[in-house]
């Protein structure tokens, strides 16, 4: 992953940013247990969790699993629930005094050496991470809003006064990391006017023009 990120940055001279969406991937894992060998169809995150526990001699706690997988507590709980609480495919052994059907903060986890199944190939379902995917989308929108704001302010600071069309065109040309839509740029301009970074110009009759002045 780090090698590809370095390659991607080199190819695009740092002008584009890569963001991994692990919630959308899947994998086939070859699981070798004392009582049999199986092929497991899992999500990317489930595969990472299984890799963490592979050859692990001692159980790992929830915090340690979160750290090693690289996910927050809520996502880690969903991953481990699918691997340790599934009545048919408990490939991970959950240990703890809490509810056996849920993941508790003081539970520990280790590969289930006693796992066996009549099916040699199976899929381990996992609870939806749609809301996690939405959080990623929201973060992307937020990051892009900051980039548009910075471009608008930088351009207006240099020009002091610009027409709406010229400003939108200049900002769209400056943003190389993504294709900024005209509507998004317009909304960010409106936001900057509300925050008093910019102001609309008035003509001699007190009517709004299609020009902006830089204020900040």
């Amino acid at each position: 992953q780090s090698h590809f990120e370095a390659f991607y940055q080199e190819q695009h001279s740092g002008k584009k940013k890569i963001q991994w969406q692990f919630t959308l991937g899947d994998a086939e894992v070859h699981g070798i247990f004392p009582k049999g060998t199986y092929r497991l169809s899992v999500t990317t995150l489930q595969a990472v969790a299984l890799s963490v526990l592979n050859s692990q001699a001692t159980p790992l706690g929830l915090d340690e699993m979160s750290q090693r997988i690289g996910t927050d507590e809520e996502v880690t709980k969903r991953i481990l629930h699918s691997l340790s609480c599934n009545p048919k495919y408990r490939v991970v052994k959950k240990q703890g005094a809490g509810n056996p059907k849920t993941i508790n903060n003081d539970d520990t986890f280790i590969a289930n050496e006693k796992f066996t199944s009549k099916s040699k190939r199976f899929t381990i379902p996992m609870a939806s991470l749609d809301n996690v995917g939405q959080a990623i989308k929201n973060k992307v929108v937020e990051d892009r809003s900051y980039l548009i704001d910075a471009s608008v302010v930088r351009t207006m600071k240099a020009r002091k006064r610009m027409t709406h069309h010229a400003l939108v065109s200049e900002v769209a040309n400056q943003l190389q990391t993504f294709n900024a839509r005209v509507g998004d740029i317009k909304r960010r301009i409106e936001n900057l006017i509300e925050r008093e970074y910019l102001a609309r110009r008035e003509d001699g009759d007190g009517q709004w023009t299609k020009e902006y002045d830089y204020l900040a």
Side-chain angles (χ1 to χ4, degrees), residues 18-213:
I18 188 168
Q19 187 169 31
W20 301 97
Q21 297 196 30
F22 300 106
T23 58
L24 304 180
D26 54 52
E28 184 173 271
V29 175
H30 189 201
I32 302 175
F33 295 83
K35 296 186 177 182
T37 300
Y38 309 92
R39 291 191 178 276
L40 292 62
S41 294
V42 295
T43 67
T44 303
L45 293 176
Q46 287 173 311
V48 173
L50 292 172
S51 177
V52 168
L53 293 172
N54 186 41
S55 301
Q56 180 69 33
T58 57
L60 296 176
L62 181 63
D63 289 342
E64 181 70 15
M65 289 296 296
S66 291
Q67 182 178 353
R68 295 199 187 187
I69 298 172
T71 52
D72 61 32
E73 182 180 293
E74 178 59 30
V75 174
T76 305
K77 283 184 175 182
R78 297 189 196 188
I79 298 168
L80 293 173
H81 184 275
S82 68
L83 299 173
S84 64
C85 298
N86 187 311
K88 291 182 66 177
Y89 307 120
R90 291 180 179 172
V91 294
V92 171
K93 183 179 180 181
K94 181 176 82 76
Q95 300 172 315
N99 188 335
K101 295 183 179 180
T102 62
I103 301 301
N104 309 289
N105 291 339
D106 57 351
D107 285 341
T108 59
F109 306 89
I110 195 167
N112 184 6
E113 294 186 352
K114 295 183 179 181
F115 173 76
T116 183
S117 174
K118 294 180 179 179
S119 303
K120 292 299 181 181
R121 184 190 296 265
F122 51 84
T123 298
I124 301 180
M126 180 174 157
S128 172
L129 291 175
D130 287 346
N131 60 335
V132 177
Q134 186 60 46
I136 293 174
K137 293 177 182 178
N138 292 341
K139 184 63 167 59
V140 170
V141 171
E142 182 181 354
D143 289 345
R144 289 182 175 181
S145 295
Y146 289 144
L147 291 174
I148 295 173
D149 288 358
S151 179
V152 171
V153 171
R154 182 170 57 249
T155 300
M156 288 299 299
K157 185 176 182 180
R159 304 287 184 84
K160 304 303 181 185
R161 179 177 298 169
M162 291 186 74
T163 65
H164 173 79
H165 178 74
L167 177 58
V168 170
S169 297
E170 179 65 23
V171 170
N173 289 333
Q174 284 187 20
L175 295 171
Q176 300 295 321
T177 56
F178 66 98
N179 293 322
R181 294 178 297 184
V182 172
D184 292 335
I185 297 174
K186 182 178 179 180
R187 279 190 290 273
R188 296 319 302 167
I189 290 173
E190 294 290 339
N191 182 267
L192 289 169
I193 290 173
E194 293 177 2
R195 291 154 59 192
E196 299 185 347
Y197 281 85
L198 311 178
R200 291 187 180 86
R201 280 186 56 76
E202 295 183 12
D203 60 18
D205 298 324
Q207 300 297 316
W208 295 120
T209 68
K210 293 184 178 181
E211 287 187 311
Y212 304 111
D213 284 333

